[in-house]
Amino acid sequence: MPDAAQLQKVLDRIDADFDNSLTRLFALLRIKSISADPAFAGECKAAADHLAKDIASLGFASEVRPTDGHPAVVAKSNGKSGPGRPHALFYGHYDVQPVDPLNLWHRPPFEPVVTDHADGRKIIVGRGAEDDKGQLMTFVEACRAWKSVTGSLPLDLTIVIEGEEEVGSKNFVPFLEKNKADLAADYVLVCDTGMWDQNTPAITTSLRGLVYEEVKIKAANRDLHSGIFGGGAQNPIRVLTRILGGLFDDDGRITIPGFYDGVKDLPADILEQWRKLDLTPEKFLKPIGLSIPAGEKGRLLIEQISSRPTCDVNGIVGGYIGEGSKTVIPAEASAKVSFRLVEGQDPNKIRNAFRDYVSARLPGDCRAEFTDHSNAPAVALDWNMKPLAAARRALAEEWGKDAVLMGSGASIPIVADFKRTLGLDSLLVGFALDDDNIHSPNEKYDLRSFHKGIRSWARILAALAQ
Amino acid sequence: MPDAAQLQKVLDRIDADFDNSLTRLFALLRIKSISADPAFAGECKAAADHLAKDIASLGFASEVRPTDGHPAVVAKSNGKSGPGRPHALFYGHYDVQPVDPLNLWHRPPFEPVVTDHADGRKIIVGRGAEDDKGQLMTFVEACRAWKSVTGSLPLDLTIVIEGEEEVGSKNFVPFLEKNKADLAADYVLVCDTGMWDQNTPAITTSLRGLVYEEVKIKAANRDLHSGIFGGGAQNPIRVLTRILGGLFDDDGRITIPGFYDGVKDLPADILEQWRKLDLTPEKFLKPIGLSIPAGEKGRLLIEQISSRPTCDVNGIVGGYIGEGSKTVIPAEASAKVSFRLVEGQDPNKIRNAFRDYVSARLPGDCRAEFTDHSNAPAVALDWNMKPLAAARRALAEEWGKDAVLMGSGASIPIVADFKRTLGLDSLLVGFALDDDNIHSPNEKYDLRSFHKGIRSWARILAALAQ
């Protein structure tokens, strides 16, 4: 069990080695591991190879393991496992989101730099700087410091890093099932979530689920000229916009029958706590150029973004989208529609309710085709799990204030899969900020998030061993 | 004034020379004169040069004249102008529509061929095969035959061919105004319209107008992650679909206030004539895979497509439209929306009513930007104009049945411009068929349309001189 002096040496080591930590992160950020685009499969493999090699250099038994999709990295600390010594499974992902629209990036997305934010913060800019390369490297660098200072880790560790988180982990979940025995541990550590604000750490204790559907409406057997057929032939964009345009009522509630079945209001005491957090439109929306909460009327903004289910059209396309004009009635039009789910909602029911909703509104001559891109339930973690108390202590020491236990609006479907396949609860600690532009152009990670993230994990590793 | 024997020699000459006519058409079709895309400006110029040279070879004083956009061709027959001898201005356009989606073409769009339609008809396939290269060449070839057989034309002729019809003729209209004296004539001949069916010629006596607007809805100052901001931030696709989805009521009527102001019902006798034409969904919609007229309830299909104003969303785009999924809330979304107008509707009023309609439905935090792509009123031609009677006689002789005088659902804005700038009425005769796929992949022109189209114009030229 590490003592305070050892921990201090580790923290000092982290500070002294920070430039090298940054150099190692940049090497990973330069690899274009976009999982959604098959053209980058080789780069995904390269990212896995790179990480396996880097983690092996810490003395882990580390290897790249094939899945039916992009490979996973599995590394074991070769520790002195024994009764009472905890064994944690750390999870991260090396794949990143596509970079379009490329023209909105101020710099090439895979040429990371440290630069100055408008408000003076130092930031690391590049695709994956935060999600999830920057975040997972906070953990790897903490392990490196422990090994370098003490020659060992405070606890036993298995690190697993997947390459398909951004495309739904379809091949990684079967991989977990197959490797259940090999991945046995006491709990999971995940670094893919955010802080409460720049100065306040957070532990995420609930996650929204995600149903992501693509719907394509088809009408005529070919594109038509609107001068000849306009007024006579059905237009699939008209049908699609009419259906999607009816998804919300005037109060911002989703109109799909049964959508809110099973959704509970927050307990009064939690709602009161959240009210005190005072998440105002000024704080949350102003930085993105908005001022009016767009969700259900009569709900706090913090409810809208974390405890209430939502619907967003994430993409829509049909007809002529080039420069100028073309008087076409297209043969088809399609949209990508996602739902963030909360506890009590069944993703399969929601998916079917959406499909029924669309199908019931199709006029004659139109067909709808659906594609299921994601289907994950919400997760509520056990607020009383033991590692959570350890993490709270460690984070309070590093940041000088208590961590907020918060609900996240985002989905990390793998957390439910860890529970289902391995029977493990997850501890979600991360250092992201709301203005990190993840999944968007100019993704960034605060230099301070990276530095203090490493220090935080070093402290958490020690606390978990106590 | 030509006699019947001369005309017969001309028609025989057309039949004998038809393979060469086809070769000349193919040479024009190979030029990629897409006016909408600046990358093809050189090809537009090449098409103008090609036509000017070809028409010069008929003894015309022919030249390429610059405009502020793609150039126009002006050619004069150098005839024996005199009192009583009619002078016609023929109009066509050498520019063609973009070819996307390219993957739906069965052959490269600029490598024309004659091939067999599924039902056995011989067809010419390629971009511009009909609109308008094939159509304008029916006229040029008819002139060639007259010159070749008789050494002259039955009437005086100015040919003007523009290169921006498919992008709204923005620079050609000022060109007409500037060259008003030079383009003086008795009336205009236009070959850019269709037949009633494969065996029945038609003269188009009314054209719908066109207002074509692009609207872009903007919300946040950047793309957002729906996990973090979903439920709190406004989504411009949600706003756009809600607005567009409300454009039609349950009876298929357009809901924009004032949209139908000034629109008159057909006179009872015309409606009765149209009813007898028996344009059924089986005849008109089945070939494109549809069965249910999509326009206003309680109207004949033929009304829906020719005498009633319509609205179509011709294109829509926003958010992530690549493969797979991305949980983005985009910063903006846009649509191209067009309105076909009928007599009595003021395009400026319609455009403003649409903009007001959108603006009135914008929630807070959203802005709308508009772009005007087209703004042309409907045209009703004089059914009693003298050349119309001549054309009816000529078409009846060639096709063995009377031409239908029909309303077209399409817009040829230039017809209104000829009236306004030059004070001239237009005679609209063309040989297009509804299944020509104009503006779509695999555009075609029936070989019979091309051949009998040339013969028809040869006869019309003679009839106009009588």
Side-chain angles (χ1 to χ4, degrees), chain B residues 8 104 116 137 210 228 234 249 310 316 433-435 466:
Chain B
Q8 189 54 51
L104 295 184
D116 291 314
M137 287 302 288
L210 181 66
I228 297 172
Q234 192 52 272
D249 68 15
T310 65
I316 190 166
L433 295 174
D434 287 340
D435 65 358
Q466 274 161 10

Side-chain angles (χ1 to χ4, degrees), chain B residues 4 23-24 28 72 76 96 100-101 198 224 244 255 265 272 283 288-289 353 379-380 382 392 412 417 425 446 454 464:
Chain B
T23 300
R24 287 185 287 264
L28 181 60
K76 292 172 172 271
V96 297
D100 59 277
Q198 282 180 46
L224 307 170
L244 299 180
T255 57
D265 277 334
E272 192 46 37
K283 284 182 201 161
I288 55 170
V379 176
D382 179 3
R392 292 180 82 170
I412 309 182
D417 293 315
D425 286 316
D446 277 27
I454 301 171
L464 288 171

Side-chain angles (χ1 to χ4, degrees), chain A residues 133-260:
Chain A
K133 290 173 174 174
Q135 299 246 55
L136 81 86
M137 288 301 288
T138 60
F139 187 83
V140 171
E141 292 297 318
C143 293
R144 194 185 316 272
W146 270 104
K147 289 286 278 193
S148 145
V149 170
T150 71
S152 69
L153 292 167
L155 74 178
D156 290 334
L157 201 56
T158 302
I159 293 178
V160 61
I161 303 173
E162 74 152 316
E164 298 195 314
E165 197 271 349
E166 301 293 4
V167 290
S169 303
K170 281 200 176 106
N171 300 298
F172 183 64
V173 176
F175 177 86
L176 284 184
E177 280 161 358
K178 263 188 230 162
N179 294 275
K180 185 174 168 169
D182 196 31
L183 297 173
D186 298 318
Y187 46 80
V188 183
L189 306 175
V190 177
C191 189
D192 201 12
T193 51
M195 313 240 301
W196 174 252
D197 62 29
Q198 283 180 45
N199 299 308
T200 315
I203 300 172
T204 297
T205 52
S206 70
L207 293 163
R208 288 196 288 194
L210 182 67
V211 163
Y212 197 122
E213 287 276 301
E214 184 161 344
V215 54
K216 182 178 281 184
I217 308 284
K218 295 186 166 189
N221 57 19
R222 59 183 173 85
D223 285 0
L224 306 170
H225 185 319
S226 78
I228 298 172
F229 292 98
Q234 192 51 271
N235 182 330
I237 305 180
R238 168 177 162 185
V239 174
L240 184 64
T241 55
R242 189 175 174 92
I243 292 173
L244 298 181
L247 278 173
F248 296 88
D249 69 15
D250 290 338
D251 292 329
R253 280 175 66 89
I254 292 148
T255 56
I256 297 172
F259 184 78
Y260 292 97

Side-chain angles (χ1 to χ4, degrees), chain B residues 7 20 24 43 56 72 96 103 110 119 125 133 157 162 192 231 259 266-267 286 299 315 334 346 426 455:
Chain B
L7 175 59
N20 294 322
R24 287 185 287 264
E43 299 266 352
V96 297
N103 63 314
F110 294 102
D119 66 8
V125 179
K133 290 173 174 174
L157 200 56
E162 73 152 317
D192 201 12
F259 184 78
L266 283 177
K286 198 179 174 190
R299 299 280 176 184
S334 66
D346 175 344
S426 297
R455 289 175 54 100

Side-chain angles (χ1 to χ4, degrees), chain A residues 417-451:
Chain A
D417 294 315
F418 280 127
K419 185 73 180 176
R420 191 175 50 74
T421 59
L422 307 183
L424 301 184
D425 286 317
S426 299
L427 174 69
L428 306 177
V429 176
F431 308 96
L433 295 174
D434 288 341
D435 67 356
D436 280 345
N437 298 341
I438 68 166
H439 295 202
S440 298
N442 307 308
E443 179 177 346
K444 65 92 176 158
Y445 199 32
D446 277 28
L447 198 65
R448 187 156 173 263
S449 285
F450 187 52
H451 187 180

